[in-house]
């Protein structure tokens, strides 16, 4: 099994969308040896479900994010993750800082450009983020 971690700030918007979409696309491609989980760089929302606007955006496109509960990324997870995907360059920098001295785990951006945080914007921002994540997830499945 390979383990992939998707990371954003609080693990209630972007990273859970990334987790749900990537997991779904891997399943559609018949790839069953990858476990996808998500977390946040901070623990402010630990135990909370994903933002209802994120869940609604997923549901509109046929995904189910109801079981998600937020959690904070733990440094020791570098020992068993095979790939860590950051939603933006700020997360990438924080994860690279945390990873110093740990196992050589690739830490990459989830998409080719930063996935913007839709939290403080309009509901349509969640649909736009979902579109960007779906395109990036297709690239990771091909990879």
């Amino acid at each position: 099994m390979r383990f992939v971690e998707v990371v954003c700030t609080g693990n209630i918007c972007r990273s859970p969308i990334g987790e749900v979409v990537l997991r779904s696309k891997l399943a559609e491609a018949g790839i069953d040896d990858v476990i996808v989980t998500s977390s946040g760089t901070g623990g402010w929302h630990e135990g909370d479900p994903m933002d209802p606007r994120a869940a609604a955006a997923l549901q509109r496109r046929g995904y189910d994010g109801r079981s998600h509960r937020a959690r904070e990324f733990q440094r020791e997870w570098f020992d068993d993750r095979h790939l860590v995907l950051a939603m933006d360059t700020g997360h990438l920098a924080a994860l690279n800082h945390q990873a110093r001295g740990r196992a050589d785990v690739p830490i990459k951006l989830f998409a080719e450009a930063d996935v913007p945080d839709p939290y403080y914007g309009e509901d349509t921002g969640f649909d736009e983020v979902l579109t960007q994540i779906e395109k990036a997830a297709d690239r990771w499945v091909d990879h």
Side-chain angles (χ1 to χ4, degrees):
M1 281 295 182
R2 292 173 289 169
F3 295 90
V4 175
E5 188 74 23
V6 183
V7 181
C8 71
T9 305
N11 193 220
I12 59 167
C13 296
R14 294 172 284 176
S15 60
I17 291 173
E19 173 189 352
V20 168
V21 169
L22 184 55
R23 186 182 299 134
S24 176
K25 289 188 174 281
L26 287 165
E28 286 173 14
I31 300 169
D32 60 1
D33 64 342
V34 178
I35 295 173
V36 182
T37 56
S38 68
S39 55
T41 57
W44 312 278
H45 298 288
E46 189 92 26
D48 292 345
M50 76 173 66
D51 185 291
R53 298 166 296 171
L58 284 168
Q59 185 177 16
R60 284 192 292 276
R61 297 217 194 145
Y63 301 103
D64 183 0
R66 290 177 293 177
S67 66
H68 175 77
R69 293 297 174 264
R71 60 196 191 139
E72 183 175 6
F73 185 84
Q74 302 298 311
R75 188 171 191 256
E76 60 270 12
W77 293 354
F78 285 115
D79 294 337
D80 63 7
R81 299 310 191 263
H82 297 92
L83 177 63
V84 178
L85 297 173
M87 284 294 167
D88 66 31
T89 51
H91 305 127
L92 185 67
L95 289 163
N96 278 318
H97 179 77
Q98 257 190 312
R100 285 188 288 172
R102 299 302 284 196
D104 187 26
V105 177
I107 305 169
K108 308 278 186 187
L109 282 175
F110 190 96
E112 292 179 358
D114 284 359
V115 177
D117 189 350
Y119 186 79
Y120 293 105
E122 301 294 322
D123 290 2
T124 57
F126 287 85
D127 292 307
E128 293 163 7
V129 161
L130 177 53
T131 297
Q132 184 181 5
I133 287 172
E134 285 178 320
K135 289 177 184 173
D138 287 334
R139 185 173 51 91
W140 284 110
V141 169
D142 291 342
H143 177 69

